[in-house]
Amino acid sequence: MTGGNLQETLAPLLRTENLAVGYRAARGSGGKNRDRQVLSGIDLELRPGELVCLLGPNGAGKSTLLRTLAGLQAPLSGRLLVDGEDFFRLPAEARARKTAIVLTERIEAGNLSVYALAALGRHPHTGWSGRMLAGDSAAVRRGLEEAGAWELRDRLFDELSDGEKQRVMLARALAQEPALLLLDEPTAFLDLPRRVETMRSLRNLARQRGRAVLLSTHDLDLAMRAADRLWLLPPGGPVQTGLPEDLALRGAVGSVFDQGDVAFDPSTGQFRIHGHPEKWAGLSGDPVLMLWTARALEREGFGIAEKDAPIRIAAERRDGAPAWECFDGASGRSLGIFPTLEALSTHLRG
Amino acid sequence: MSAGIRRNWFWLAVLLALLTGLFCLGLALGSVTIPLRDAVGALLGRPASNPVWDRILWEIRLPRCLTAVLAGSALALSGLEMQTLFRNPLAGPYSMGISSGATLGVALAVLAGAAAGADVPGFLALRGIGSQLGVAGSAVAGSAIVMVLVLIVARRIQSNTTLLILGLMFGQMAGALVSVLQAFSSSEQIRAFAFWGFGSYAGVTWAQMPVLAGAVLAGTAMAALCAKPMNALLIGWTYARSLGVPIRKLRFLLLASTSVLAGAVTAFCGPVAFLGLAVPHLCRGLFRTADHRILIPACLLMGASLSLASDLASRLPGGGRALPLNAVTALVGAPVVIWVLLRRRAPKDD
């Protein structure tokens, strides 16, 4: 695949230069400089065809950054370039032809049918009367089909389920034919299979039509698997970007999310819940069994020790079936053989 | 889609036919019944077979029917605009206190006129272009002030019902100020004002018609400019902005249009209840659409028809007696509001 190299050579669709985002103090509210700065010194790039996930703890400024990139609020300072043009110098309709956003907030849409709602995406493309030409209708149909909402077109929006509404709002954004698609937590209200499906289809949307897709999410695991690139927002710190794997290896993921007893474990790519074990156990045997045994032991409050642990557990397949044998660490005496992790846990507890 | 467009044209044609029929009935019926043939003939420039009928038609019935058409379409249109602007199905010029603001404006103008030595009942009858523009202008200003107050509050308050109650309160305050003003008025002034307060289409003369018609035309033109962005507003201010809608301009145009429409009608016809609130719902139900490009002409036709029908009903007792117009429109409008309230509860319980 030359995709990676190709992307490197493409001009960025979006570039920020020393961007600071936040909320401006209301005009006439008295004292000066009461702007609330959420993030500053942001230098980022987005390329066509790229799916980027924006990750960070609550309050790190994900939504504020997305809203700024969508043109919904002006930056406090710095520049935002889209297709090489200063985004905030463009008229509102020209901005809306370049970027579209799908927000988390759930909306009520009165009497609007799904088709009529998706057709609102043509707003920045039609004339003053809003008359739809053949090209507009084709874009609406394509948006509905790409979002998997074409068969909903005659239903009333307010009668749909949350997941269906999400698809329709995505269809509306796609009908807008933006070069950059922004989504604020598109997977928040979905169950696991739909989350995976949503990510997969967003990835296709990015690849097939050369759009850039940027989405914020709390789903670290899914984001690390699906995203071409991550933007990590540590609270207060500078934004870190890179391939998910590079960021994990560099320890950047941990630095953003580690908190209290929760820690990111780069050796498994997952979060560990017990950060400070009081008991230790040694572990050996079959690699797959070891992975799951370690998780069961961690839940019981054990840390996995390299050597000199008071107990040692051998996890091996015996006659095809898994079995766990527990040894006293000092004497090497067997303490018993267990057919399941549940039996082992019960023994360790008691 | 084409089936939907045919359906829209069909119902618009039906409404136009209904309006024409009601207009002819309005010319024919009253304390003196004029044969339809003569009534319609008079419209086409043929002198009626009875010269007395001719005078009744030209000096009483025709201006009254034209006033009913202008007032009904203006109120319905301003109701539609307010419901979209506030995203509130119960918004309307009367329910949100806009008519009360206009009433206050009229009361102030009348009092100022009396202080300046004008003859009050004559002043309210609006003879002379100066007093017409004075009263109409202060009614529009009164409407606009209440609109601005409600708009300011609406930016802080999310709840529809709270906003509605606040609108009612602004209306009550304006009403209270009117009462205070009346305490300083002569009994003749009070009587003239009270009669005006019942609402009537009978008082508008040919001399006043150009001012009323001009205001309604101006308000309608502004509303027509807003048809497309009002559609975008159906999915909320944030999304509308992301679609490139110039929010401030739209808010100003809707504010101006609503104030001119509701204010001018109130100045000439008194506060007319419920037409503005009820007609948009009837149109949405009939046309099964939320598209303002259809709802605007639909509201104009339906508002005019319902207004003519209410005026006809108010003449029912016969013998020179008439029911207060406000009583008739309330009898038509209040059930629509109840229906809207009951229907809105339903989906929440699913």
Side-chain angles (χ1 to χ4, degrees), chain B residues 32-72:
Chain B
V32 175
T33 305
I34 298 171
L36 262 180
R37 174 205 295 266
D38 289 88
V40 176
L43 270 189
L44 303 174
R46 263 183 284 137
S49 45
N50 181 335
V52 178
W53 290 350
D54 231 18
R55 281 196 61 191
I56 293 177
L57 277 172
W58 280 102
E59 283 169 30
I60 300 173
R61 300 258 169 96
L62 196 54
R64 182 168 179 163
C65 286
L66 276 177
T67 306
V69 167
L70 288 171

Side-chain angles (χ1 to χ4, degrees), chain B residues 18-41:
Chain B
L18 179 69
L19 175 61
T20 315
L22 283 166
F23 197 91
C24 293
L25 279 180
L27 292 178
L29 301 180
S31 51
V32 175
T33 305
I34 298 171
L36 262 180
R37 174 205 295 266
D38 289 88
V40 176

Side-chain angles (χ1 to χ4, degrees), chain B residues 15 46 48 50 65 77 98 127 135 141 200 202 212 236 250 262 267 297-298:
Chain B
L15 281 180
R46 263 183 284 137
N50 181 335
C65 286
L77 185 53
I98 312 303
R127 295 194 195 99
V135 173
S200 169
L212 177 61
L250 177 62

Side-chain angles (χ1 to χ4, degrees), chain A residues 27 67 72 92-93 96 101-103 107-108 111-112 115 120 123-124 126-131 169 172 176, chain B residues 1 87 224-225 228-229 231-232 234-235 238-239 241-245 248 284-285 288-290 293 344 348:
Chain A
R27 273 183 301 171
R67 288 171 56 90
L72 289 174
E93 287 213 336
I101 188 167
V102 179
L103 300 158
I107 61 156
E108 280 180 37
N111 234 6
L112 278 180
Y115 187 90
L120 290 179
H123 193 283
T126 55
W128 76 273
S129 71
R131 204 161 79 91
M169 293 313 285
R172 178 206 52 88
Q176 217 171 320
Chain B
M1 291 280 47
R87 296 173 48 67
L225 282 179
K228 177 186 160 185
N231 283 343
L234 289 174
I235 52 173
T238 315
Y239 275 120
R241 192 188 304 244
S242 86
L243 287 168
V245 172
R248 279 183 195 182
R284 285 189 201 101
R288 298 214 198 115
T289 184
R293 287 170 299 161
R344 274 181 67 75
K348 299 261 153 86

Side-chain angles (χ1 to χ4, degrees), chain A residues 107-121 132 140 144 149-160 164-165 167-169 171-172, chain B residues 1 4 8 231 234-235 284 287-295:
Chain A
I107 61 156
E108 280 180 37
N111 234 6
L112 278 180
S113 73
V114 165
Y115 187 90
L117 198 154
L120 290 179
M132 302 267 287
V140 175
L144 282 165
W150 175 246
E151 64 283 0
L152 302 172
R153 64 187 176 280
D154 292 327
R155 307 252 316 263
L156 277 183
F157 180 79
D158 283 353
E159 290 170 0
L160 302 179
E164 288 169 332
K165 282 182 180 172
R167 267 153 47 205
V168 175
M169 293 313 285
R172 178 206 52 88
Chain B
M1 291 280 47
N8 290 339
N231 283 343
L234 289 174
I235 52 173
R284 285 189 201 101
F287 287 82
R288 298 214 198 115
T289 184
D291 187 346
H292 289 81
R293 287 170 299 161
I294 294 151
L295 287 177

Side-chain angles (χ1 to χ4, degrees), chain A residues 70-85:
Chain A
L72 289 174
Q73 59 185 75
L76 296 180
S77 65
R79 286 214 303 168
L80 170 60
L81 299 165
V82 176
D83 277 338
E85 288 179 283

